[in-house]
Amino acid sequence: MTEPTESNDLSRRALFAKIGLLLNGLVATVVAVPIVGFLLSPILRERKSAALSWVSLGGIENFPEGQTRMATYRNPYVNTWDGETAHIPCWVRHVGADKFQIFAINCAHLGCPVRWFPQSELFMCPCHGGVYYADGSRASGPPERGLFEYPYKVQGGELMVQAGELPTPGISAQLRARKSPCA
């Protein structure tokens, strides 16, 4: 009988097992890096939403009394690759004197952009038939609430909107609680 000899040579099976373990480790690392980054991102990045910015929509002369017009502002918290999506549209309604209403362009139902129809003085959503009165309140259709409103102020003849967060039901409740300085 021959005695087994100790050899430093890897068998083919052991070599493939080690290569398999190495490849599995690489895949696990590639998958884990974004997940860990996502979990740690609130700790690592600045709290941008805590400091909302006031952004100019233009002079108040651009918004005649009794009319509703579309305006755009540049989101102050953008990335270099945002491009045109950093320009946020909104509807500005000049109620009277220094009283305005600034509505998010998105329907409160599923976020489709609403259009203003001056003939009927209604905002209408083309996606699911949501209709809103001129003051932003719900008229008919599937939305359960009115249009989202931005806080505003008039400063030095400029209409300023508080930017940095897109209005949502939860944020709108917070904003209503804070009240706009000029409202």
Side-chain angles (χ1 to χ4, degrees):
M1 290 202 161
T2 61
E3 291 185 24
T5 60
E6 199 169 307
S7 169
N8 287 341
D9 295 335
L10 285 175
S11 70
R12 186 174 176 183
R13 178 175 288 181
L15 175 67
F16 282 130
K18 288 186 180 198
I19 290 173
L21 284 173
L22 178 69
L23 291 177
N24 282 332
L26 286 172
V27 169
T29 302
V30 168
V31 170
V33 166
I35 293 171
V36 170
F38 174 76
L39 293 174
L40 295 178
S41 66
I43 298 168
L44 299 176
R45 72 169 176 233
E46 298 176 27
R47 299 273 316 168
K48 292 181 181 178
S49 62
L52 299 175
S53 295
W54 290 97
V55 179
S56 175
L57 291 176
I60 57 173
E61 67 276 359
N62 296 334
F63 307 102
E65 192 169 330
Q67 290 188 17
T68 301
R69 292 206 172 158
M70 182 180 279
T72 59
Y73 65 90
R74 183 144 176 92
N75 187 350
Y77 305 109
V78 296
N79 293 312
T80 54
W81 56 81
D82 286 341
E84 285 300 310
T85 61
H87 296 282
I88 310 290
C90 59
W91 291 106
V92 178
R93 177 175 178 243
H94 191 164
V95 179
D98 281 346
K99 180 145 175 55
F100 293 86
Q101 284 186 297
I102 302 175
F103 303 111
I105 196 170
N106 306 93
C107 176
H109 179 230
L110 292 177
C112 295
V114 296
R115 291 184 52 203
W116 170 248
F117 290 89
Q119 309 85 345
S120 58
E121 294 192 354
L122 294 171
F123 292 101
M124 295 186 185
C125 177
C127 295
H128 299 105
V131 181
Y132 303 90
Y133 294 116
D135 67 354
S137 61
R138 177 189 177 276
S140 69
E144 295 181 5
R145 61 171 317 282
L147 291 172
F148 300 110
E149 283 191 58
Y150 289 103
Y152 74 91
K153 67 181 177 181
V154 177
Q155 184 176 14
E158 297 268 321
L159 181 59
M160 309 289 281
V161 65
Q162 193 172 30
E165 288 181 342
L166 292 177
T168 61
I171 292 171
S172 293
Q174 294 169 3
L175 295 177
R176 276 194 302 275
R178 282 191 252 166
K179 291 286 184 188
S180 138
C182 298

